[in-house]
Amino acid sequence: MPGPTRGFLGRTRPARDPRLPPGQYDVGADWPVLTAEPTPRISPETWSITVAGHVEAPTTWDWDGVHALPRSEYRGDIHCVTTWSKFDTQFAGVSLDALWEVARPTPEGQYVMATSKSGYTTNLPLEDLTGGKAWLVWEFDGKPLTVEHGGPVRLLVPHLYFWKSAKWVTKLDVLKRDQQGFWERNGYHDRGDPWRQQRYQGD
C-alpha cells in the first residue's frame, strides 16, 4: 500500500524554540516599550539606590558608589507578560548580591518591594533576588540604558516576567511579609514565573 500522503499528515510545523516559555513569541530585534506611568527624567548625577527595611545596615549608593561595586553582566533571554520574548540580550551593571552583602538582610526579611522614581512598585521574594539571579543594570548591548527602557538604572530579574524588572529603580525595601505592588494589586500574579505562565492571580 502507498504511504500516507502529505495532505493526510498536514504540513510539518517548524520546531518551537526551546527557549520560548509557553504562550510566548520571539520578538526578534525589537524591544517593545511598555510603561504604566510617565517616564521620569533622571540624570546619573542625581540618581541613587537605597536598600532599607529588615536589613542590618541600611545603605544608599549614588552613581559613583554603585559603579565602585564589582561589575557583573547578564547574557540571556527576557520575557514579557504581554507574550513577547527577546533572546540573547546583554546587560551590564552590578549583581544585587553585592548590595545584599553590604546591607545584610535579617533572617525575618523574606520579601522585597522595589520602588521606582515614578512611584511604580513591584514585590518579589528575596530568594528571587539572590544567588546571581538579579541585577541593577545601566548598560544594554554595550551602550547606556535608554530612559525608555528604564535608564539610567533598572532592576533586572530575567527569570521572571519583565514587569518585575522595575524601571528607574531607586529603592529596595526588605520586608517581613509580602505586600503587593502596582500590577499585583491590579490582578497580575505575585511571582510571575514565565515557565509556569503565572500571568494573573490564580494562575
Side-chain angles (χ1 to χ4, degrees):
M1 296 178 62
T5 65
R6 173 175 168 177
F8 181 80
L9 290 177
R11 294 181 180 273
T12 302
R13 295 183 178 181
R16 180 177 174 82
D17 194 309
R19 296 175 294 176
L20 276 179
Q24 298 290 113
Y25 72 94
D26 176 9
V27 77
D30 293 337
W31 186 2
V33 175
L34 303 171
T35 58
E37 67 277 4
T39 300
R41 300 290 169 172
I42 311 166
S43 67
E45 294 76 19
T46 62
W47 175 87
S48 65
I49 182 73
T50 296
V51 175
H54 287 272
V55 295
E56 295 180 10
T59 306
T60 297
W61 292 264
D62 62 11
W63 183 258
D64 291 336
V66 80
H67 277 70
L69 297 172
R71 179 182 171 91
S72 182
E73 297 184 354
Y74 170 74
R75 295 172 181 253
D77 311 329
I78 57 177
H79 310 287
C80 182
V81 71
T82 59
T83 73
W84 60 260
S85 292
K86 186 171 179 63
F87 296 146
D88 303 320
T89 64
Q90 299 180 27
F91 291 91
V94 60
S95 170
L96 284 192
D97 292 328
L99 279 66
W100 303 135
E101 185 176 348
V102 174
R104 302 189 302 279
T106 61
E108 63 265 29
Q110 297 295 315
Y111 299 92
V112 173
M113 182 69 77
T115 302
S116 301
K117 180 71 173 181
S118 62
Y120 174 84
T121 56
T122 190
N123 56 305
L124 305 104
L126 179 60
E127 183 179 6
D128 281 315
L129 302 179
T130 59
K133 298 191 290 290
W135 292 258
L136 294 179
V137 294
W138 47 80
E139 288 183 14
F140 173 74
D141 202 18
K143 299 177 182 178
L145 188 65
T146 63
V147 65
E148 293 80 9
H149 287 299
V153 180
R154 77 176 298 155
L155 185 61
L156 177 68
V157 192
H159 68 285
L160 300 179
Y161 282 127
F162 220 50
W163 91 80
K164 293 292 186 177
S165 297
K167 298 179 179 181
W168 316 299
V169 66
T170 59
K171 192 173 185 183
L172 300 172
D173 276 306
V174 180
L175 309 174
K176 185 176 180 179
R177 296 180 179 84
D178 198 13
Q179 299 177 19
Q180 292 183 322
F182 174 82
W183 281 119
E184 294 80 15
R185 292 193 302 270
N186 285 279
Y188 277 21
H189 198 278
D190 284 328
R191 182 156 184 264
D193 184 336
W195 295 98
R196 296 182 179 182
Q197 295 197 77
Q198 293 176 337
R199 302 177 192 273
Y200 307 107
Q201 297 291 335
D203 286 347

